[in-house]
Structures are given as C-alpha cells and as structure tokens.
Amino acid sequence: MKAEHYYRNYKFCSKLGAKMQECIENRRRTHDTDCNDYALTLHSFDTFLVEGTFDDGFLSREAFDAYMEQVADRGVSGSYLHNINSCIRYFAFFLLRQGIDCYLPPKGKFRRSNPKKTIIPTVEKLKKFARFVDAEATCVEKIKNWKYAVSYAVVFRLLFLLGLRISEALDLQRHEVRFTDCTLYIRCSKNNKNRIVAFDEGLASLLREYDNAMEQRIPQRTYFFPGNAKGRFLRETFEKWLKRKWKKCFKNSCEGDLITPHCLRHAYTVHIVDLWSSQGIDFKKMLPVLSKSLGHSSVANTYYYYHSVSQNGQAVERFIMESDDVIPQEVRDAFNN
C-alpha cells in the first residue's frame, strides 16, 4: 500500500480556489473517498495560478498548457501527466455543469508543444556531484539541515547507481532495505508491482552507515529516509535540492534547470549499455534483466528510454545498430533524427 499523503486541509488562494474546494468536497461525497491525491493536484494548480500571470478567475487553455509544461519539465512519467490532465479535466467538467465557461482539456495523454530531450549526465559529472554533496553534508553535520543534506546525498546514489524512480527511493521503509542479502524490496511501484533490486557491498556499506546514524537521531523510524514527523521526504523538495546543488556544483553548466530525478534513471540505463559495450556483452540477452531491474512492464519500455537521449555515445549507437530486429521503429527514427 502506498504511503498516505497528509494534505487534507489545503488553503486555496487563487480566484478559482473557492470552486476548487467545492469540487473536492463534491468529489469526496460522490466517490466516497478523501480524495487526497486529487486535492494535492488542484492545490498545486492553485499555487501555480497565484504565483503566475493566469489568476484571472478563468480556467483557460493558456493556463492549463503552461502548468502542464511546468510539471513536464520535472521529468515525470507520462502516466503522471495523464493523471494530472484527468484531474483538471474533472474540475473543468465541474465548472461547466455550473454554467461557468472554461477550457476543457482533451481526453487522453498530454502532448508537449515543445518536447525537451532528457539530459544524460556523464559518469564523471555524476561522480563529481556525489563528492560535492558529500563534502557539503560533512560541513553541515552539526546544524539542523544535516538530515536533509546527508539523506539527499544517499538518495542521489540510489537513483544513479540502481536506476530507481524517485518515488521508489523515498517510499522505502526501513525493513525493506535488507542488508543480509543486499537487496531493496520495492513495494507497490508503478502499476502496483513489487520487485527486488540488488546492490553491491560498496553501496551496502554506505546505506548501513546512514541507517545507523539516522537511528541514533530518530529511533524506530518507519521510513528509511525520514522526512517530517508524518512520513518521508517529498519529491518536490528533492527536485529543488537537486537543481540547486547541480547549479552550484557546475557553475558554468546550462543543465541546472533541466536536470531532474528521472534524468538519473535514464543515465543509469545509458551507462549500463556503455558498460556492456566495453565488455563485449550481448545486449539482447541482458536487456530483459535490465528491464526487470528497472520495473518496466516489458523490454520494449526500456528501449523507449532512448527516445530522449541527448548525448548518443558510441555504446548507444552500437546498441541501436546491433539490435535491428528487436528495436521498435520509433526508437530508431528518434535516434536517426
């Protein structure tokens, strides 16, 4: 079961805020549920309206598109965007039933007007960033931000060393990190699937050291990465931390605004292919193993990761060329373009 969200008492401040609250209460009554995820989505949209230039009391196409583009910039999955699209579409229907004119988002998947390619950091950059955040965590050990600095440095490693989704890393409970056999139990991830992900002794040593240090400060905690008193860290705060630290570490780089947690998952996949290339390993035999480790429903989903690769190295090129009988045509076209 997914971790419960504690967002029942939102304050809506936009000119559409009162209607959003009314819509949430109506949905709770008609669907017999607390609608926490739905309320979270509308509150995020409400905040966007207040902070931007669209708070005119009207649900316009311009406001919807700008918000969806902002969410998409975080590197979230297509299904996550689809869920947000459905939530705002439901709100639009609510307004229309009350005789309030508004833009009705189309049914189906949201398509970006100007798709951005995913940034794939090099191994050298990832290692440099890891050393940078480790040094900062050591410097702030005695102040209140120690928990965040150290925790995020460890979460970062789970993303680029194991290819975890950010939600999978943050949802980890303490008993799901198994030091006896060096495995993580990923619970109810995408499509409500469970899986086992193995890690090596080097990462085990780091996780054990972190676990012991955190246990001294927060005894008997539920989550491996404890956030506030009610649960684990939030995805949004990690994303902000990643962008801020990346800009600070690579001052002359333009990647700061584009780097997302999902970029690290893509980087893991690409660099695994690079490793196979250097070792002469058969891609076709190993890709099902990689797909299972990533939690993809099929090997084809792993192939689609190459759609957004912005730094196609020789390893990826060899992968594409040598797998002509199994690579979907869409991936081949994206690579050639």
Side-chain angles (χ1 to χ4, degrees), residues 41 64 68 71 76-90 105-111:
T41 297
F64 171 79
M68 294 297 286
V71 175
V76 300
S77 65
S79 60
Y80 185 84
L81 285 172
H82 175 69
N83 290 338
I84 294 179
N85 184 89
S86 298
C87 287
I88 299 180
R89 179 179 167 84
Y90 182 92
K107 186 176 181 180
K109 292 185 177 180
F110 171 75
R111 303 294 182 184

Side-chain angles (χ1 to χ4, degrees), residues 8 28 45 111 127 129 168 233 235-236 242 291 301 317 321-322:
R8 292 193 174 91
R28 283 172 176 164
F45 186 46
R111 303 294 182 184
K127 289 181 178 179
F129 184 76
E168 294 171 348
F233 291 115
R235 174 194 179 118
E236 290 78 8
L242 179 62
S291 181
N301 289 341
E317 182 176 0
M321 295 302 107
E322 291 188 2

Side-chain angles (χ1 to χ4, degrees), residues 257-301:
D257 292 327
L258 300 177
I259 194 73
T260 67
H262 210 65
C263 290
L264 304 179
R265 181 169 160 87
H266 278 266
Y268 166 79
T269 307
V270 173
H271 296 321
I272 283 292
V273 172
D274 187 65
L275 179 63
W276 288 344
S277 177
S278 66
Q279 296 177 350
I281 295 176
D282 188 340
F283 298 132
K284 300 177 186 178
K285 291 182 179 179
M286 293 302 297
L287 274 171
V289 178
L290 176 61
S291 181
K292 185 176 181 180
S293 174
L294 290 169
H296 286 160
S297 58
S298 68
V299 176
N301 289 341

